[in-house]
Amino acid sequence: MISDGADDQLKVKLSAEVGEDPPSPTLEQDRELYAELVRAEFSGPRYKIFTQELWTYGIRTLTAWMRTGVVAQHCYRYNVAFAASEIELAILGRNSEVREALAVDSVAAAAPRFVERALWGGEWDPDKGASLFTFFVGGCVMAFGDVFRNWSRKRRREVGLTASGLLNSAEDAAVFPGQLSLFDDPAETVASRDTLRRILNEATPEAAAICTLMLRRPELDQRQIGALLGGMSARAVEGQLRRLRSTARRLAASGKVSRPQFSEAGQR
């Protein structure tokens, strides 16, 4: 079953960013609409309008929930696994392109099941308190779990591969090409390769990937680096660098590495 929850449990207030809600029909109106769609054998102009409204509502609802973070609550309600990291939650909250892509994929996955089981199969039951739109959004939430998980796995895999390029390279020239220095003194970068690797071994994959991109592609600014790492904002990139500096200072204070003097490289 896609959903049997009541409408009041799925209310969402959409901002001007995503427009206004479609009209909220009563269950009796939904009952009449469903009967009309059955008579038309789920085809024709009215059915086309209905499916367009359904898609629009599903996409706008999911994007709004991702932006505000309440999508996690709805996933919990439907027993949908949603193991987003802090960075991924920030991406969902700030990156409209990522939100829209995930919402479209979720609705596209939910729609065939809804048509087959809720409409043709008669699974939707207005006596259980859910409107057609609410029923459909429940299915979208369930589809969102797999869509998000696939996106997350791909993003983390790409970040990990980027990070490993710096940590595992055997050639110093490949690790530290060009003139960019992560430290105040460019000569210190050359002299501190082992120190940098030790620091990055303690860092997040994102921080290691950011350093890799800063060193190998010095023409990139923080916004461009974030875009390559799954849609992180420039602020998130800088946040990872601040944490990396804190890690370096902690390791230096414990005597595990020499004390590096980080520059502000990559902040363009």
Side-chain angles (χ1 to χ4, degrees):
M1 176 177 289
I2 293 178
S3 167
D4 59 3
D7 277 345
D8 59 358
Q9 293 177 288
L10 282 172
K11 292 297 183 184
V12 57
K13 182 178 181 180
L14 301 181
S15 71
E17 172 190 333
V18 288
E20 298 179 356
D21 279 317
S24 300
T26 65
L27 286 176
E28 188 56 37
Q29 289 173 321
D30 265 3
R31 215 187 284 267
E32 294 173 1
L33 171 60
Y34 179 68
E36 180 183 346
L37 296 176
V38 169
R39 288 193 297 271
E41 296 183 345
F42 302 106
S43 62
R46 184 64 188 92
Y47 177 70
K48 183 177 181 180
I49 292 173
F50 169 70
T51 56
Q52 289 174 342
E53 292 175 344
L54 208 64
W55 271 69
T56 299
Y57 185 71
I59 291 170
R60 287 167 47 198
T61 300
L62 286 182
T63 54
W65 286 350
M66 282 185 271
R67 189 187 69 251
T68 60
V70 298
V71 69
Q73 300 173 24
H74 292 289
C75 286
Y76 177 79
R77 176 172 178 252
Y78 285 95
N79 294 317
V80 173
F82 180 64
S85 67
E86 179 183 348
I87 289 174
E88 288 167 342
L89 288 175
I91 290 173
L92 294 184
R94 293 179 178 273
N95 193 306
S96 60
E97 292 183 2
V98 172
R99 290 197 301 268
E100 183 175 351
L102 293 176
V104 169
D105 287 348
S106 299
V107 171
R113 176 188 173 98
F114 177 79
V115 171
E116 177 184 353
R117 303 183 70 168
L119 299 183
W120 281 102
E123 193 175 80
W124 173 69
D125 183 354
D127 292 333
K128 292 184 178 180
S131 71
L132 283 167
F133 282 96
T134 297
F135 200 86
F136 179 62
V137 168
C140 293
V141 172
M142 297 176 71
F144 172 78
D146 287 334
V147 170
F148 175 82
R149 186 160 44 251
N150 291 336
W151 172 83
S152 175
R153 285 173 178 169
K154 180 180 178 182
R155 192 198 73 83
R156 295 183 190 191
R157 181 168 60 250
E158 291 175 349
V159 168
L161 288 173
T162 302
S164 66
L166 184 63
L167 292 171
N168 300 328
S169 177
E171 298 182 13
D172 290 337
V175 178
F176 296 96
Q179 302 302 313
L180 179 66
S181 173
L182 285 180
F183 305 103
D184 290 332
D185 180 0
E188 188 176 353
T189 297
V190 178
S192 303
R193 292 164 180 153
D194 182 64
T195 295
L196 182 57
R197 286 194 179 94
R198 288 173 183 267
I199 294 170
L200 293 182
N201 276 325
E202 299 280 335
T204 65
E206 283 79 10
I210 289 167
C211 286
T212 301
L213 292 171
M214 286 172 61
L215 287 166
R216 292 186 170 179
R217 300 188 59 183
E219 76 279 6
L220 298 178
D221 60 23
Q222 291 184 354
R223 179 185 61 80
Q224 293 167 323
I225 288 173
L228 291 173
L229 298 179
M232 293 174 64
S233 66
R235 180 179 296 181
V237 171
E238 174 55 29
Q240 287 293 312
L241 290 175
R242 283 198 302 271
R243 292 184 184 183
L244 184 62
R245 296 182 187 107
S246 296
T247 298
R249 295 185 185 102
R250 174 175 55 81
L251 292 175
S254 66
K256 294 181 179 180
V257 299
S258 59
R259 183 176 294 275
Q261 299 298 318
F262 282 104
S263 70
E264 302 303 311
Q267 289 200 12
R268 300 177 308 283

